[in-house]
């Protein structure tokens, strides 16, 4: 029998709690972001019933249609929507107008567009700078050496709020190697936090490496498969 989304969420929360307690942290320090890309509204509804409130989407139009759908529901105002995919300039307005967070800032041009396009009635858009921590040519993100310059520019943009960093390390089975990469991110995060008042979010860790990420100070883990099962790329545009 397949487990339900509620059971999966409970299991993931237990894993987060165990990983946090193992390294002397409080489980409350780690936010669970449910990665709902390619998943139908019905699956998100199940997660909402099970108490989940923060969701991550990778595709702009798909995410916006879900945000608009749930805005009409009783829980709509409680939900938090994070854009976690690479963003093209021609899609920036939709993210600026609909999402609460973006995790993938990696150039000034995109940040400027988001700040200019953020509606005046909305709170500032929470942004994370994406670091290409494993130096993979296929991945978005900047090198750590570029962080100070980009952060300084983003921090000045009136309709953005710089909250921290995000990374997607290269797949690695060895927990010690996972941890070493995550610790590089933690050092960069702590250095940034010392400079800017709103820095509080280190987005790293997914289904396969969340424990190592939490040990290294992650404050937000992005979990899709362990909650919703394998992704169905046949249903998205």
């Amino acid at each position: 029998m397949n487990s339900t989304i509620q059971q999966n969420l409970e299991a993931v929360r237990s894993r987060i709690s165990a990983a946090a307690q193992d390294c002397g942290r409080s489980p409350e320090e780690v936010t669970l972001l449910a990665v709902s890309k390619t998943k139908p509204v019905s699956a998100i509804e199940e997660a909402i019933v099970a108490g989940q409130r923060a969701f991550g989407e990778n595709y702009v139009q798909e995410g916006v249609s879900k945000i608009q759908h749930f805005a009409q529901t009783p829980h709509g105002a409680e939900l938090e929507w994070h854009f976690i995919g690479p963003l093209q300039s021609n899609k920036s307005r939709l993210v600026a107008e609909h999402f609460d967070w973006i995790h993938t800032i990696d150039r000034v041009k995109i940040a400027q567009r988001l700040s200019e396009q953020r509606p005046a009635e909305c709170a500032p858009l929470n942004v994370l700078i994406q670091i290409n921590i494993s130096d993979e040519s296929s991945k978005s993100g900047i090198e750590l050496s570029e962080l100070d310059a980009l952060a300084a520019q983003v921090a000045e943009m009136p309709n953005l709020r710089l909250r921290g960093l995000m990374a997607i390390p290269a797949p690695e089975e060895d927990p010690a190697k996972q941890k070493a990469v995550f610790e590089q991110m933690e050092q960069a995060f702590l250095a940034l936090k010392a400079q800017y008042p709103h820095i509080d979010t280190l987005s790293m860790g997914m289904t396969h490496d969340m424990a190592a990420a939490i040990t290294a100070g992650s404050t937000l883990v992005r979990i899709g498969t362990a909650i919703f099962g394998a992704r169905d790329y046949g249903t998205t545009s």
Side-chain angles (χ1 to χ4, degrees):
M1 193 171 97
N2 290 335
S3 57
T4 66
I5 287 171
Q6 178 169 352
Q7 288 169 330
N8 292 344
L9 274 166
E10 288 169 0
V12 169
R13 289 175 188 140
S14 293
R15 287 174 63 190
I16 290 171
S17 292
Q21 288 165 353
D22 283 349
C23 62
R25 298 180 65 196
S26 165
E28 284 71 42
E29 294 174 33
V30 185
T31 297
L32 171 57
L33 183 68
V35 178
S36 46
K37 67 178 182 183
T38 80
K39 294 302 173 186
V41 161
S42 57
I44 298 173
E45 284 170 348
E46 277 189 65
I48 292 169
V49 169
Q52 183 63 26
R53 294 292 180 268
F55 295 91
E57 290 286 331
N58 284 58
Y59 307 109
V60 177
Q61 270 99 342
E62 180 191 345
V64 168
S65 70
K66 290 173 181 175
I67 291 167
Q68 290 173 329
H69 169 86
F70 284 103
Q72 311 301 317
T73 66
H75 290 298
E78 302 166 21
L79 303 183
E80 192 175 83
W81 293 93
H82 296 236
F83 186 74
I84 59 174
L87 181 60
Q88 298 165 314
S89 297
N90 63 348
K91 303 275 182 70
S92 63
R93 182 176 296 279
L94 286 169
V95 171
E97 290 178 348
H98 294 279
F99 282 84
D100 304 300
W101 287 73
I102 177 169
H103 290 220
T104 51
I105 295 292
D106 62 359
R107 54 198 190 280
V108 172
K109 177 186 172 186
I110 285 284
Q112 282 175 327
R113 288 176 69 93
L114 289 166
S115 183
E116 290 163 5
Q117 294 167 339
R118 184 71 170 170
E121 68 273 13
C122 293
L125 181 64
N126 297 295
V127 303
L128 302 178
I129 292 173
Q130 182 174 357
I131 306 296
N132 188 346
I133 195 64
S134 300
D135 196 25
E136 293 178 277
S137 59
S138 62
K139 292 257 176 77
S140 304
I142 60 167
E143 294 179 19
L144 279 174
S145 60
E146 302 172 85
L147 174 57
D148 286 347
L150 182 55
Q153 291 175 286
V154 172
E156 293 299 315
M157 295 182 188
N159 298 315
L160 303 183
R161 177 167 288 186
L162 180 60
R163 296 289 293 270
L165 303 176
M166 183 273 254
I168 308 170
E172 176 56 68
E173 294 304 317
D174 181 346
K177 290 180 180 173
Q178 288 177 357
K179 190 164 173 279
V181 173
F182 285 137
E183 284 173 346
Q184 278 186 276
M185 284 297 300
E186 183 183 31
Q187 293 309 310
F189 172 66
L190 293 173
L192 199 65
K193 196 173 182 174
Q195 296 179 67
Y196 299 101
H198 297 299
I199 300 298
D200 59 4
T201 303
L202 181 54
S203 167
M204 62 184 191
M206 297 189 282
T207 294
H208 65 287
D209 59 7
M210 75 169 95
I214 290 168
T215 301
S218 173
T219 70
L220 182 150
V221 291
R222 307 180 305 272
I223 310 297
T225 306
I227 297 171
F228 296 111
R231 297 192 185 107
D232 179 4
Y233 287 103
T235 60
T236 188
S237 53

